[in-house]
Amino acid sequence: MPVPMRTSILTPLSTRLPTPLPSVSLVRGAARWRLPLASALFVFAFVTCGSHERSIGVEDSASTPRGSALFDSGADTTSPGPCVGLECDRVSCPEGGDTSLSGRVTAPNGTLPVVGAVVYVPNGALPTLPLGASCATCAAWLPERPVAITSSAADGTFTLRDVPVGANVPVVVQVGKWRRAVTVPNVSPCANQRLDGDLTRLPRNRSEGSMPRIALTTGACDDLGCILPKLGIDAAEIGTASEGDARAVHVYRGAVDPARAPRGAPPAEALWSREEGLGRYDMALLSCECAERLENKGPAANAAMTRYLDAGGRIFTTDYMYTWYRDSPSAALRRAIPILGGGHDGGHPVRVASQSVQGATFRDWLRAASPGSADSAEGRIEFESVFDNVAYVDPARAHVWATSSRPNAPSSPEGPRVISVEFPIDAAPAAQCGRAVHIDAHVNQASEGDGVGPEFPRSCSARMGPGEAALAFFLFHLAACVTPAVAAPGGPAPK
């Protein structure tokens, strides 16, 4: 039987791997590697040897509107030097085989699939992740020299190829600032090894890895907060701003009866009245307050929110929280998603706009997350309430993920129901770092036994409704790094 041989880091993987579809090419000189394309988060890596290095670019077979090279050190390509670290523990297998690890990335609860997670074998220390909003690209959040790297498909599955062999091989699973590093006790050469699902879920708490800092505001009409314990986030990570860094999630009281809010939750004005308050957090989940409730917002808060997004912040909004877009001082944002307002009813069901690359990924994720569901199979979502607050979307500045009919204008085209925008809105795509997602619906209308009350998170049930499942998808999309992004072969650039 042939003996596996150690391989150079520059052995082109495309000579030994099946080409996944869709995929992107990683190019260095005359060598080309191929890796699978995941919806909003795309894979990149450096190939480094000796004292000279040059980055790999990501190249689309049709077009690469965000740049064909993600990184370029400017150094000349030279002959490789000796392998470094775990690079030296890779082997060349006979008959076109390879050494691989496969598995399924899930949310902290261990069941819900996560699409677009980056899975890699590092070759050194992991970079420190900054606390709070920062205008950083993927390069700042991933190491420069992974030995092997891939991303998870719509159903969360992945195969990490050409990995090192031997004992205690490190593997990292990451979505933005969600990051968990584990150790595989032993990797045998020239075989595929399936990783246990508990190794490939995202961390439940910060003792297991890194988590984004999340601000949550309460609302009487849409309890977004219950998604957090349902996703498996440890109750010990949920608290209020007075507890500081002891908690990853801080709850603020929206325009609701204080008796219905979590104990000790400060008013939402303390969060959004100043950019410094928002800037402590990587993302904010802003629950619908049943009306516009302008008395707890105003020009200063609107300006702070827009600056937060421009500085790399992320927000998720539903229904009446459209005010953050309508009342923004940014004329470009107001033009991108003109708001009708007023809480007019939208039609049921909401349909995924699967003609786009991102929409098709969302549809496929819904099918994987809810197998056997007729709605998910057809790309439909039954939100508890649907609204028609957004007039239309400028496709050059925002992306529509899902639409539904307009009961008040039945002959009109379907209206946008799930929208994402990246910031600064008029910046070049490579300079964008913030993101907002708006669902013009209620994902979890307040109900007895499943709401953000004084005993939160114990006041939430375990059941995840279809609207909350959609929120779960976008919670991780919100967390993922914004740039760089590359179009799928023949497809439009993601927004």
Side-chain angles (χ1 to χ4, degrees):
M1 175 179 177
V3 177
M5 302 295 291
R6 300 288 177 180
T7 184
S8 163
I9 191 172
L10 292 181
T11 302
L13 302 185
S14 60
T15 65
R16 296 183 284 115
L17 304 184
T19 300
L21 294 175
S23 61
V24 292
S25 296
L26 304 184
V27 184
R28 185 179 191 264
R32 182 182 299 268
W33 295 257
R34 293 193 70 82
L35 290 175
L37 174 67
S39 63
L41 190 59
F42 299 88
V43 177
F44 60 91
F46 280 104
V47 170
T48 308
C49 290
S51 60
H52 300 280
E53 69 179 30
R54 188 172 179 86
S55 59
I56 325 175
V58 172
E59 183 180 79
D60 182 301
S61 63
S63 62
T64 53
R66 293 204 173 201
S68 58
L70 303 187
F71 303 98
D72 190 347
S73 66
D76 292 334
T77 301
T78 61
S79 299
C83 59
V84 176
L86 290 175
E87 296 168 0
C88 304
D89 293 333
R90 299 196 296 183
V91 299
S92 179
C93 299
E95 300 176 0
D98 74 347
T99 306
S100 61
L101 299 171
S102 61
R104 183 171 179 259
V105 180
T106 60
N109 61 14
T111 58
L112 202 69
V114 175
V115 60
V118 180
V119 186
Y120 58 94
V121 174
N123 200 19
L126 299 177
T128 300
L129 300 175
L131 299 180
S134 61
C135 200
T137 65
C138 300
W141 294 353
L142 294 178
E144 293 186 351
R145 317 174 46 130
V147 179
I149 188 165
T150 190
S151 64
S152 59
D155 61 356
T157 59
F158 67 89
T159 298
L160 192 60
R161 299 189 181 276
D162 204 24
V163 300
V165 302
N168 300 321
V169 174
V171 173
V172 179
V173 177
Q174 185 169 349
V175 181
K177 293 184 183 179
W178 292 94
R179 186 176 71 188
R180 185 174 178 217
V182 299
T183 300
V184 181
N186 186 68
V187 177
S188 299
C190 303
N192 175 260
Q193 181 173 331
R194 177 82 179 181
L195 298 180
D196 184 89
D198 194 54
L199 287 178
T200 56
R201 61 170 174 79
L202 295 175
R204 294 180 179 132
N205 52 54
R206 287 172 293 170
S207 68
E208 292 187 338
S210 299
M211 297 171 58
R213 300 302 191 268
I214 302 172
L216 166 70
T217 67
T218 64
C221 281
D222 204 8
D223 274 327
L224 299 182
C226 281
I227 191 62
L228 301 176
K230 292 177 184 181
L231 284 176
I233 294 176
D234 195 321
E237 292 288 0
I238 300 173
T240 62
S242 63
E243 297 173 278
D245 288 339
R247 303 287 187 268
V249 179
H250 291 166
V251 185
Y252 291 82
R253 185 182 75 250
V256 299
D257 182 350
R260 293 189 61 242
R263 293 187 179 93
E269 295 94 313
L271 169 69
W272 60 48
S273 62
R274 296 180 305 113
E275 185 184 352
E276 292 78 8
L278 287 161
R280 298 170 57 192
Y281 302 99
D282 298 294
M283 66 175 70
L285 309 182
L286 309 176
S287 303
C288 174
E289 299 176 308
C290 298
E292 293 183 355
R293 304 305 296 261
L294 301 181
E295 71 274 12
N296 70 352
K297 302 177 184 67
N302 292 324
M305 189 66 73
T306 301
R307 289 194 300 270
Y308 170 68
L309 290 166
D310 286 346
R314 319 295 174 89
I315 67 172
F316 182 92
T317 56
T318 62
D319 190 14
Y320 280 108
M321 283 298 185
Y322 61 67
T323 59
W324 296 114
Y325 315 110
R326 184 196 65 187
D327 299 339
S328 169
S330 168
L333 178 55
R334 298 195 303 272
R335 290 193 300 268
I337 46 174
I339 300 297
L340 297 169
H344 300 294
D345 286 342
H348 290 260
V350 171
R351 299 175 180 84
V352 175
S354 56
Q355 66 273 19
S356 70
V357 174
Q358 286 180 304
T361 300
F362 182 28
R363 177 204 61 205
D364 293 345
W365 181 89
L366 287 170
R367 292 171 177 171
S370 304
S373 164
D375 282 336
S376 295
E378 297 298 324
R380 299 188 301 260
I381 310 168
E382 275 292 352
F383 289 105
E384 295 175 351
S385 297
V386 180
F387 303 99
D388 190 21
N389 291 311
V390 182
Y392 60 89
V393 164
D394 177 358
R397 291 188 170 98
H399 183 79
V400 176
W401 294 78
T403 63
S404 81
S405 61
R406 299 189 123 138
N408 294 324
S411 61
S412 299
E414 292 197 341
R417 302 292 177 250
V418 183
I419 303 157
S420 65
V421 187
E422 294 177 355
F423 295 84
I425 193 166
D426 271 342
Q432 291 177 320
C433 54
R435 176 175 285 149
V437 174
H438 181 74
I439 293 184
D440 210 8
H442 287 165
V443 302
N444 185 33
Q445 290 182 170
S447 61
E448 189 67 28
D450 192 24
V452 181
E455 301 300 322
F456 178 70
R458 293 192 300 273
S459 55
C460 297
S461 74
R463 176 186 174 274
M464 184 181 296
E468 287 179 301
L471 169 57
F473 175 91
F474 286 105
L475 186 70
F476 293 113
H477 173 66
L478 205 64
C481 59
V482 172
T483 57
V486 178
K495 293 293 182 186

